[in-house]
């Protein structure tokens, strides 16, 4: 395999970034942030979280620039992969998945027609939302989102593959989004 040639201006930019020149980093951000943000927003559709991932991406680029190897690809490709991996990590995070359930619960509170009837989150979740799920999905959602289990904990305790646990969560969230019309903004 032949080594990829790097354009001269990219080499100069990279040298300046490695030298920790703030002006070079500003130039990098100004010229690449829109494209990198486009990569992130397709994976993390929530604007606030996508912006957080963008910031994390450029911080990682700044801190790990010495790991970039010009012979393996262009600078943009390396940055693209960092952004993509951080975005995927974000949507797989417990924080992100908890936010999805919270959005669904918030929507349930907003659409509740029983004005005088008090209800708790657990009752709303178990009685109204969980009724749309299969028993296996209900179990997983209850354990992970209200009892603090991780997918690994559920897999070990119920002797099912961790991938199956994650698939049930994804399917449950999709069902709840479809039922309540919740979409990612």
């Amino acid at each position: 395999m032949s080594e990829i040639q790097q354009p001269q201006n990219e080499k100069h930019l990279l040298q300046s970034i490695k030298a920790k020149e703030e002006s070079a980093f500003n130039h990098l951000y100004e010229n690449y942030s829109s494209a990198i943000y486009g990569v992130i927003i397709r994976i993390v559709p929530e604007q606030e979280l996508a912006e957080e991932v963008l910031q994390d991406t450029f911080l990682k680029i700044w801190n790990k620039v010495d790991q970039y190897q010009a012979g393996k690809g262009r600078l943009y490709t390396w940055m693209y992969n960092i952004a993509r991996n951080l975005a995927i990590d974000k949507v797989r995070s417990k924080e992100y998945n908890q936010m999805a359930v919270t959005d669904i619960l918030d929507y349930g509170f907003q659409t509740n027609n029983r004005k005088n009837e008090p209800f708790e989150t657990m009752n709303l979740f178990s009685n109204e939302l969980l009724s749309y799920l299969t028993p296996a999905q209900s179990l997983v959602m209850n354990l992970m989102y209200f009892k603090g289990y991780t997918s690994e904990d559920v897999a070990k305790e119920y002797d099912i593959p961790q991938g199956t646990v994650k698939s049930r969560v994804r399917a449950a969230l999709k069902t709840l989004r479809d039922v309540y019309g919740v979409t990612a903004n």
Side-chain angles (χ1 to χ4, degrees):
M1 184 190 319
S2 65
E3 189 170 298
I4 297 171
Q5 293 297 312
Q6 190 176 26
Q8 193 61 31
N9 59 346
E10 193 172 282
K11 281 183 183 180
H12 177 69
L13 177 62
L14 193 56
Q15 289 170 346
S16 298
I17 293 170
K18 284 182 178 182
K20 301 296 185 192
E21 294 177 16
E22 191 174 328
S23 62
F25 185 76
N26 289 337
H27 177 80
L28 183 75
Y29 187 85
E30 288 172 13
N31 287 287
Y32 290 96
S33 63
S34 293
I36 296 296
Y37 183 75
V39 170
I40 295 166
I41 198 74
R42 284 191 297 270
I43 299 168
V44 182
E46 293 79 11
Q47 182 179 352
E48 186 176 317
L49 290 178
E51 289 171 356
E52 183 181 311
V53 172
L54 180 66
Q55 181 179 359
D56 291 345
T57 298
F58 277 91
L59 186 61
K60 188 166 188 174
I61 290 166
W62 180 255
N63 291 326
K64 304 285 185 177
V65 71
D66 290 330
Q67 293 179 1
Y68 169 68
Q69 297 174 4
K72 290 189 175 184
R74 303 277 314 264
L75 178 62
Y76 174 76
T77 305
W78 180 71
M79 294 183 343
Y80 170 95
N81 285 323
I82 290 173
R84 182 179 173 277
N85 291 340
L86 287 174
I88 289 169
D89 289 348
K90 179 59 81 177
V91 297
R92 289 181 177 169
S93 72
K94 187 174 183 178
E95 167 199 7
Y96 184 86
N97 288 316
Q98 183 65 45
M99 186 185 73
V101 170
T102 302
D103 288 348
I104 290 166
L105 289 173
D106 287 346
Y107 185 79
F109 285 126
Q110 293 168 6
T111 59
N112 182 25
N113 293 330
R114 299 170 301 190
K115 304 263 186 246
N116 298 324
E117 183 180 333
F119 55 91
E120 298 175 8
T121 301
M122 283 297 289
N123 290 339
L124 174 69
F125 195 93
S126 61
N127 295 335
E128 293 182 33
L129 297 179
L130 293 181
S131 67
Y132 293 101
L133 304 178
T134 67
Q137 291 170 343
S138 296
L139 173 70
V140 170
M141 294 296 284
N142 190 32
L143 290 172
M144 289 182 67
Y145 291 100
F146 290 100
K147 297 192 180 193
Y149 283 55
T150 65
S151 60
E152 187 177 352
D153 295 336
V154 175
K156 283 180 184 174
E157 180 145 340
Y158 290 89
D159 195 31
I160 54 178
Q162 189 173 3
T164 301
V165 173
K166 291 177 180 181
S167 294
R168 288 177 183 169
V169 168
R170 279 191 300 275
L173 289 173
K174 182 186 180 317
T175 298
L176 294 174
R177 284 186 191 112
D178 291 344
V179 167
Y180 283 98
V182 176
T183 58
N185 293 331

